[in-house]
Amino acid sequence: RHGKLFSGSYDCSIRVWDLTTFRRVRSLHGHTDAVRSLAVAGDTLFSGSYDSTLRAYDIATLKPLRVMEGHTGPVRTLAVLGGCLFSGSYDKSVRVWDTATLESLAVLQGHTDAVRALAASSVPHLKYVFSGSDDSTVRVWDAVNLTCVCVFEGHEDNVRVLTVDSRYLYSGSWDKTIRVW
């Protein structure tokens, strides 16, 4: 849609790539630590960094829109569902942000260790966001009421990756297993 690809880096930058020429067209700066997560919502690019902040950029102009603060630990993962951006952090929380106003809406708590993975339901009428943590659990959050509706237990080590399709949630862990929920 925008003809651009974005990549985050340990050098604190975001690189912008042209999808027609496959050349780098720009680097975005501002974070003071590694950029570990990126997400696009409409015409806005969001970045999450180990500097504990998120940043929002206008995709058309590549100008910064806002520094979004609230996490007290590195931001490791981002997911978008509807008009909300969800950010997971080493501070053990998932924060919810309005993608239009860029304001914080809520803090989802329950994990007892770092949140390293997020995934959003791909089924339109099921508004769920899933979070994976170093506490070895996966939490299911109702994205409308912003409440935890279920906790999946079974992994024996950190949950590092999540993906979801129309039927299942898949979680990958340092315990060398992939679980299907």
Side-chain angles (χ1 to χ4, degrees), residues 23-46:
R23 295 185 186 271
R24 184 176 55 164
V25 294
R26 183 127 171 236
S27 290
L28 306 176
H29 300 278
H31 283 295
T32 59
D33 206 337
V35 178
R36 291 304 313 265
S37 51
L38 299 169
V40 171
D43 296 322
T44 306
L45 169 68
F46 294 95

Side-chain angles (χ1 to χ4, degrees), residues 53-74:
T53 69
L54 291 84
R55 289 180 180 260
Y57 299 87
D58 180 286
I59 291 177
T61 65
L62 299 177
K63 293 189 189 264
L65 299 173
R66 179 175 288 176
V67 177
M68 300 156 67
E69 297 178 309
H71 282 293
T72 58

Side-chain angles (χ1 to χ4, degrees), residues 48-122:
S49 170
Y50 277 5
D51 67 11
S52 303
T53 69
L54 291 84
R55 289 180 180 260
Y57 299 87
D58 180 286
I59 291 177
T61 65
L62 299 177
K63 293 189 189 264
L65 299 173
R66 179 175 288 176
V67 177
M68 300 156 67
E69 297 178 309
H71 282 293
T72 58
V75 178
R76 180 64 178 84
T77 181
L78 301 174
V80 175
L81 183 61
C84 292
L85 173 72
F86 295 80
S87 57
S89 169
Y90 288 10
D91 68 10
K92 308 174 192 175
S93 75
V94 176
R95 283 190 171 260
V96 186
W97 310 83
D98 185 300
T99 59
T101 67
L102 310 180
E103 295 294 328
S104 179
L105 300 175
V107 180
L108 310 181
Q109 297 181 316
H111 283 294
T112 59
D113 210 333
V115 177
R116 291 188 184 262
L118 291 172
S121 174
S122 59

Side-chain angles (χ1 to χ4, degrees), residues 167-179:
R167 293 179 60 199
Y168 299 109
L169 169 70
Y170 306 87
S171 57
S173 168
W174 271 8
D175 67 9
K176 302 178 186 168
T177 66
I178 296 171
R179 294 193 177 256

Side-chain angles (χ1 to χ4, degrees), residues 22 54 56 71 84 104 117 126 130 136 162:
F22 301 108
L54 291 84
H71 282 293
C84 292
S104 179
L126 296 177
F130 308 91
S136 304
L162 296 172

Side-chain angles (χ1 to χ4, degrees), residues 81 84 86 96 108 126-129 140-147:
L81 183 61
C84 292
F86 295 80
V96 186
L108 310 181
L126 296 177
K127 305 287 188 201
Y128 294 111
V129 170
V140 182
W141 304 93
D142 180 314
V144 176
N145 298 321
L146 302 177
T147 57

